């Protein structure tokens, strides 16, 4: 195993039996678990992780990103069951896609916006009905450098 190159990119896209994933990898930079239809828990500890795509994981309820200090892109679009999101070290996050995360509460999103707000440039909250109590003015205050903000569809009950 010592002769193997360090793992930099991992794609498990579409794995249909992946229910829980816990990854701890010092060299991992890109992780794609999109379309993993039964994934319910994702725990990642990867100090070099810059991109995480978990879009379309309909049953994903909890995401914990520890030691991901260089994370720049987080795509959780259409994670309709997402109710817990923690990324305490994600101060460099510049792109966050939460499109269709219907049940994500402000209690999970607000700490992330406090952590990454200064770096965040793109934020998609379209369809995040659970965040309706988080005003657009508050989001813009926490994220002063936003270039793109989509917070439409948060009032729709679908």
């Amino acid at each position: 195993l010592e002769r193997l190159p360090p793992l930099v990119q991992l794609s498990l896209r579409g794995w249909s039996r992946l229910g829980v994933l816990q990854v701890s990898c010092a060299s991992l930079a890109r992780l794609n678990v999109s379309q993993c239809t039964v994934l319910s828990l994702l725990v990642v500890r990867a100090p070099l992780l810059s991109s995480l795509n978990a879009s379309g994981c309909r049953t994903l309820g909890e995401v914990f990103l520890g030691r991901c200090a260089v994370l720049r892109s987080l795509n959780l679009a259409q994670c309709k069951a997402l109710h817990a999101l923690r990324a305490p070290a994600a101060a460099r996050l510049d792109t966050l896609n939460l499109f269709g995360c219907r049940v994500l509460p402000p209690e999970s999103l607000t700490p992330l916006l406090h952590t990454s707000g200064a770096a965040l440039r793109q934020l998609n909250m379209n369809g995040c009905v659970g965040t309706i109590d988080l005003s657009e003015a508050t989001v813009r205050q926490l994220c002063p450098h936003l270039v793109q903000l989509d917070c439409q569809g948060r009032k729709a009950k679908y």
Side-chain angles (χ1 to χ4, degrees):
L1 290 178
E2 292 176 10
R3 294 182 184 181
L4 291 176
L7 182 65
V8 175
Q9 181 172 328
L10 177 61
S11 178
L12 301 173
R13 185 181 196 279
W15 278 33
S16 60
R17 295 183 185 209
L18 184 64
V20 173
L21 179 62
Q22 295 187 36
V23 176
S24 183
C25 183
S27 58
L28 187 64
R30 291 176 298 285
L31 176 61
N32 184 350
V33 292
S34 63
Q35 307 301 320
C36 291
T37 55
V38 298
L39 185 64
S40 61
L41 173 64
L42 178 61
V43 179
V44 180
R45 290 176 193 86
L48 297 181
L49 188 71
S50 62
S51 175
L52 171 59
N53 183 358
S55 63
C57 296
R58 298 183 310 259
T59 59
L60 184 60
E62 300 176 72
V63 174
F64 302 105
L65 306 175
R67 295 182 17 220
C68 297
V70 297
L71 185 65
R72 301 206 34 115
S73 176
L74 179 56
N75 186 351
L76 298 171
Q78 296 297 333
C79 292
K80 297 177 182 188
L82 187 65
H83 62 271
L85 171 60
R86 286 191 295 178
R92 295 185 185 174
L93 188 64
D94 67 13
T95 302
L96 177 58
N97 188 349
L98 299 171
F99 172 76
C101 294
R102 297 178 185 174
V103 297
L104 184 69
E107 299 82 36
S108 283
L109 180 56
T110 303
L112 179 58
L113 296 182
H114 277 285
T115 300
S116 62
L120 209 55
R121 309 223 1 117
Q122 297 178 23
L123 175 59
N124 188 341
M125 298 171 54
N126 190 332
C128 293
V129 178
T131 65
I132 192 62
D133 292 336
L134 186 60
S135 73
E136 182 177 341
T138 300
V139 171
R140 290 193 179 278
Q141 183 179 17
L142 292 171
C143 310
H145 303 292
L146 279 176
V147 174
Q148 180 179 345
L149 172 62
D150 185 351
C151 57
Q152 295 184 8
R154 295 191 305 148
K155 294 180 184 175
K157 300 290 184 192
Y158 48 89

